[in-house]
Structures are given as structure tokens and as C-alpha cells.
Amino acid sequence: AFTVTAVLSRGAASPFALALKSATVPANGKVEITVTPVGIPSMSAIPGTYSDTLTVSTNLVDDRPRLIPISETAQGAILSFDTQAIPFGEVPVSSAQSSTFHVTNTGNIPAKVELALGMPSSQAFVVNQTTMTLAAGDSLTANVTFSPTATGPEASSVVIAPLTGTVLCAPLPQAVALSGLGENGGLALS
């Protein structure tokens, strides 16, 4: 019989866990060493490989430790907008002005998302492309329109939501702020 010991080089910081750290192997017997990935945080900031080295050693004379590299890969979408705000300025009542913006996925798997108006809610704004699928590394153009129905300031925002099955590696981006001013559009006399 001999003793086998297993150690992860990163210790408590390892992205893996060991079910068995030390055991006695009987004559003509065997011992299983199970290494289990620890879940990568659901909102991991970096997609890529998480690794460690498993060192297996025994108390046998002249037996050298075995170094076994192990790794797991985070997979998910990382979404962003190319702007933080879209100010439409003054737009005559009963007319419309549109603006484009881009949604980008810098992650390593596709993302199916929905764009919607956030808070504050305003009927004067419309997001024209609401559902899109972004491949890994892809950037798509979306469009928002401001159509004031009354004079005065209007505000809203564009938010993004992952649809069922989309895995993220980062928090969702902040909403894109929308603003515009409905104006009379008539002639001003002085």
C-alpha cells in the first residue's frame, strides 16, 4: 500500500475543487481523484480560459510528482452600446427624426437580445429594431426615432435584455439616454 496526495497549485483561488486530497491505495488497488470545475461567476468579466495545475504525488521512494495541467473556458456574450446618449434636439411636433446606434458583442458566443424603451417611458420615442442576434465579435446597427406629439421636453432610454438561452460574461450595458424637445415648428414673430 502507498499514499497518494493531490494538490491544486492555486489553492483556494483555483477555479477547480478536489473531492479527494489524500488516500491510501491498497495493494493491487486504485483510487480515483475527481477534479470538478467551480462555476465561473455568471457575470465573469473576461471570457477565456481558467486554468490550474493538479500535482499528484505518492510516498513511494523515487516517485516524482506528476503535474497535470487542467483548464476550463468561460463562454458568453459581452454586450455594449457605442453611445451613452442620443440628444435629438429640437424637432417640430408631428414630424420625426431618426438616429442610429450600434450594439456590439465582444464575447465568444452569439447573443439573442431585445431592445426596448426603458425609463422614463415616452410615446415620442420608438426603437425600430427590437430583436437581434449578434454573433461573437459582431456589431449591428439599430435605429431610434423621435416623433414629438406636443411641445416641450421628452426623455426616455434604450435598454437591452438577453433573450432566453443567451449567456453573458459581463453585466448588461447602461441604457442609452434619449432626449428631445418638441417645438411648435411655426414662425416666430418679433
mmCIF file of all heavy atoms in Angstrom, residues 24 29 52 59 63 71 74-75 86 89 96 108 119 128 138 146 161 174 184 187:
data_model
loop_
_atom_site.group_PDB
_atom_site.id
_atom_site.type_symbol
_atom_site.label_atom_id
_atom_site.label_comp_id
_atom_site.label_asym_id
_atom_site.label_seq_id
_atom_site.Cartn_x
_atom_site.Cartn_y
_atom_site.Cartn_z
ATOM 1 N N THR A 24 -5.109 6.316 0.761
ATOM 2 C CA THR A 24 -4.216 5.162 0.754
ATOM 3 C C THR A 24 -4.686 4.208 -0.341
ATOM 4 O O THR A 24 -5.864 3.856 -0.420
ATOM 5 C CB THR A 24 -4.236 4.447 2.122
ATOM 6 O OG1 THR A 24 -3.804 5.382 3.113
ATOM 7 C CG2 THR A 24 -3.325 3.241 2.127
ATOM 8 N N GLY A 29 -4.762 -2.118 -5.878
ATOM 9 C CA GLY A 29 -5.974 -1.300 -5.862
ATOM 10 C C GLY A 29 -5.802 -0.004 -6.642
ATOM 11 O O GLY A 29 -4.765 0.233 -7.270
ATOM 12 N N ASP A 52 -5.375 25.729 -13.944
ATOM 13 C CA ASP A 52 -4.612 25.416 -12.741
ATOM 14 C C ASP A 52 -3.754 24.200 -13.080
ATOM 15 O O ASP A 52 -3.830 23.654 -14.180
ATOM 16 C CB ASP A 52 -5.553 25.099 -11.575
ATOM 17 C CG ASP A 52 -4.891 25.279 -10.213
ATOM 18 O OD1 ASP A 52 -3.650 25.363 -10.142
ATOM 19 O OD2 ASP A 52 -5.628 25.331 -9.214
ATOM 20 N N ASN A 59 4.010 8.580 -1.721
ATOM 21 C CA ASN A 59 5.105 8.423 -0.751
ATOM 22 C C ASN A 59 6.047 7.284 -1.150
ATOM 23 O O ASN A 59 6.848 6.824 -0.355
ATOM 24 C CB ASN A 59 4.554 8.195 0.661
ATOM 25 C CG ASN A 59 3.728 6.923 0.784
ATOM 26 O OD1 ASN A 59 3.404 6.285 -0.219
ATOM 27 N ND2 ASN A 59 3.396 6.565 2.019
ATOM 28 N N ASP A 63 9.639 8.167 -6.558
ATOM 29 C CA ASP A 63 8.483 8.509 -7.401
ATOM 30 C C ASP A 63 8.376 10.028 -7.470
ATOM 31 O O ASP A 63 8.294 10.702 -6.438
ATOM 32 C CB ASP A 63 7.209 7.907 -6.810
ATOM 33 C CG ASP A 63 6.036 7.987 -7.770
ATOM 34 O OD1 ASP A 63 6.270 8.075 -8.988
ATOM 35 O OD2 ASP A 63 4.880 7.971 -7.289
ATOM 36 N N SER A 71 -7.889 22.904 -17.370
ATOM 37 C CA SER A 71 -8.457 24.206 -17.711
ATOM 38 C C SER A 71 -9.934 24.077 -18.050
ATOM 39 O O SER A 71 -10.423 22.991 -18.361
ATOM 40 C CB SER A 71 -7.715 24.829 -18.889
ATOM 41 O OG SER A 71 -7.904 24.076 -20.052
ATOM 42 N N ALA A 74 -14.532 29.953 -20.130
ATOM 43 C CA ALA A 74 -15.772 30.716 -19.958
ATOM 44 C C ALA A 74 -16.301 31.049 -21.340
ATOM 45 O O ALA A 74 -15.543 31.425 -22.229
ATOM 46 C CB ALA A 74 -15.491 31.994 -19.177
ATOM 47 N N GLN A 75 -17.590 30.899 -21.512
ATOM 48 C CA GLN A 75 -18.202 31.243 -22.788
ATOM 49 C C GLN A 75 -19.416 32.109 -22.513
ATOM 50 O O GLN A 75 -20.258 31.759 -21.689
ATOM 51 C CB GLN A 75 -18.618 29.988 -23.549
ATOM 52 C CG GLN A 75 -17.434 29.176 -24.000
ATOM 53 C CD GLN A 75 -17.847 28.061 -24.932
ATOM 54 O OE1 GLN A 75 -18.988 27.637 -24.955
ATOM 55 N NE2 GLN A 75 -16.902 27.592 -25.713
ATOM 56 N N ILE A 86 -28.355 59.864 -26.882
ATOM 57 C CA ILE A 86 -28.746 60.373 -28.196
ATOM 58 C C ILE A 86 -29.628 61.591 -27.958
ATOM 59 O O ILE A 86 -30.810 61.454 -27.609
ATOM 60 C CB ILE A 86 -29.496 59.307 -29.027
ATOM 61 C CG1 ILE A 86 -28.616 58.078 -29.253
ATOM 62 C CG2 ILE A 86 -29.948 59.908 -30.362
ATOM 63 C CD1 ILE A 86 -29.316 56.923 -29.940
ATOM 64 N N GLY A 89 -32.361 67.053 -29.899
ATOM 65 C CA GLY A 89 -32.507 68.500 -30.030
ATOM 66 C C GLY A 89 -33.949 68.865 -30.310
ATOM 67 O O GLY A 89 -34.877 68.138 -29.958
ATOM 68 N N ALA A 96 -40.679 63.733 -37.589
ATOM 69 C CA ALA A 96 -39.852 62.687 -36.978
ATOM 70 C C ALA A 96 -38.392 62.877 -37.342
ATOM 71 O O ALA A 96 -38.057 63.385 -38.413
ATOM 72 C CB ALA A 96 -40.318 61.314 -37.439
ATOM 73 N N ASN A 108 -17.547 35.569 -26.788
ATOM 74 C CA ASN A 108 -17.131 34.465 -27.663
ATOM 75 C C ASN A 108 -18.261 33.517 -28.069
ATOM 76 O O ASN A 108 -18.004 32.463 -28.627
ATOM 77 C CB ASN A 108 -15.971 33.694 -27.025
ATOM 78 C CG ASN A 108 -16.295 33.173 -25.646
ATOM 79 O OD1 ASN A 108 -17.443 33.182 -25.216
ATOM 80 N ND2 ASN A 108 -15.277 32.742 -24.934
ATOM 81 N N MET A 119 -36.888 53.497 -18.835
ATOM 82 C CA MET A 119 -37.480 54.587 -18.066
ATOM 83 C C MET A 119 -36.676 55.855 -18.290
ATOM 84 O O MET A 119 -35.473 55.782 -18.452
ATOM 85 C CB MET A 119 -37.500 54.224 -16.590
ATOM 86 C CG MET A 119 -38.336 52.981 -16.295
ATOM 87 S SD MET A 119 -40.038 53.068 -16.870
ATOM 88 C CE MET A 119 -40.720 54.223 -15.731
ATOM 89 N N ASN A 128 -36.731 51.015 -33.532
ATOM 90 C CA ASN A 128 -37.217 50.403 -34.762
ATOM 91 C C ASN A 128 -36.750 48.973 -34.991
ATOM 92 O O ASN A 128 -37.352 48.256 -35.758
ATOM 93 C CB ASN A 128 -36.844 51.280 -35.959
ATOM 94 C CG ASN A 128 -37.511 52.644 -35.849
ATOM 95 O OD1 ASN A 128 -38.667 52.733 -35.470
ATOM 96 N ND2 ASN A 128 -36.788 53.697 -36.132
ATOM 97 N N ASP A 138 -19.512 40.507 -33.313
ATOM 98 C CA ASP A 138 -20.347 41.223 -34.272
ATOM 99 C C ASP A 138 -20.843 42.549 -33.704
ATOM 100 O O ASP A 138 -20.965 42.730 -32.493
ATOM 101 C CB ASP A 138 -21.556 40.350 -34.629
ATOM 102 C CG ASP A 138 -22.206 40.730 -35.949
ATOM 103 O OD1 ASP A 138 -21.678 41.616 -36.645
ATOM 104 O OD2 ASP A 138 -23.243 40.119 -36.272
ATOM 105 N N PHE A 146 -37.523 59.825 -32.904
ATOM 106 C CA PHE A 146 -38.198 60.779 -32.020
ATOM 107 C C PHE A 146 -39.276 61.473 -32.835
ATOM 108 O O PHE A 146 -38.989 62.118 -33.841
ATOM 109 C CB PHE A 146 -37.189 61.784 -31.470
ATOM 110 C CG PHE A 146 -37.791 62.879 -30.633
ATOM 111 C CD1 PHE A 146 -38.665 62.593 -29.590
ATOM 112 C CD2 PHE A 146 -37.462 64.207 -30.872
ATOM 113 C CE1 PHE A 146 -39.212 63.609 -28.811
ATOM 114 C CE2 PHE A 146 -37.995 65.231 -30.103
ATOM 115 C CZ PHE A 146 -38.874 64.932 -29.062
ATOM 116 N N ALA A 161 -31.966 43.609 -23.321
ATOM 117 C CA ALA A 161 -32.254 42.455 -22.470
ATOM 118 C C ALA A 161 -31.903 41.183 -23.236
ATOM 119 O O ALA A 161 -32.278 41.041 -24.404
ATOM 120 C CB ALA A 161 -33.724 42.435 -22.076
ATOM 121 N N GLN A 174 -25.160 50.054 -19.584
ATOM 122 C CA GLN A 174 -26.134 51.045 -19.129
ATOM 123 C C GLN A 174 -27.012 51.456 -20.292
ATOM 124 O O GLN A 174 -26.603 51.413 -21.454
ATOM 125 C CB GLN A 174 -25.428 52.268 -18.566
ATOM 126 C CG GLN A 174 -24.820 52.028 -17.206
ATOM 127 C CD GLN A 174 -24.404 53.334 -16.552
ATOM 128 O OE1 GLN A 174 -24.127 54.320 -17.214
ATOM 129 N NE2 GLN A 174 -24.367 53.322 -15.240
ATOM 130 N N ASN A 184 -42.908 74.007 -31.688
ATOM 131 C CA ASN A 184 -44.068 74.412 -32.446
ATOM 132 C C ASN A 184 -43.866 74.238 -33.928
ATOM 133 O O ASN A 184 -44.753 73.792 -34.636
ATOM 134 C CB ASN A 184 -44.427 75.859 -32.084
ATOM 135 C CG ASN A 184 -45.697 76.337 -32.768
ATOM 136 O OD1 ASN A 184 -46.040 75.880 -33.843
ATOM 137 N ND2 ASN A 184 -46.379 77.254 -32.109
ATOM 138 N N LEU A 187 -43.742 79.858 -37.414
ATOM 139 C CA LEU A 187 -42.899 81.044 -37.483
ATOM 140 C C LEU A 187 -42.994 81.814 -36.189
ATOM 141 O O LEU A 187 -44.067 81.907 -35.587
ATOM 142 C CB LEU A 187 -43.349 81.942 -38.648
ATOM 143 C CG LEU A 187 -43.188 81.352 -40.027
ATOM 144 C CD1 LEU A 187 -43.803 82.293 -41.059
ATOM 145 C CD2 LEU A 187 -41.719 81.125 -40.343
#
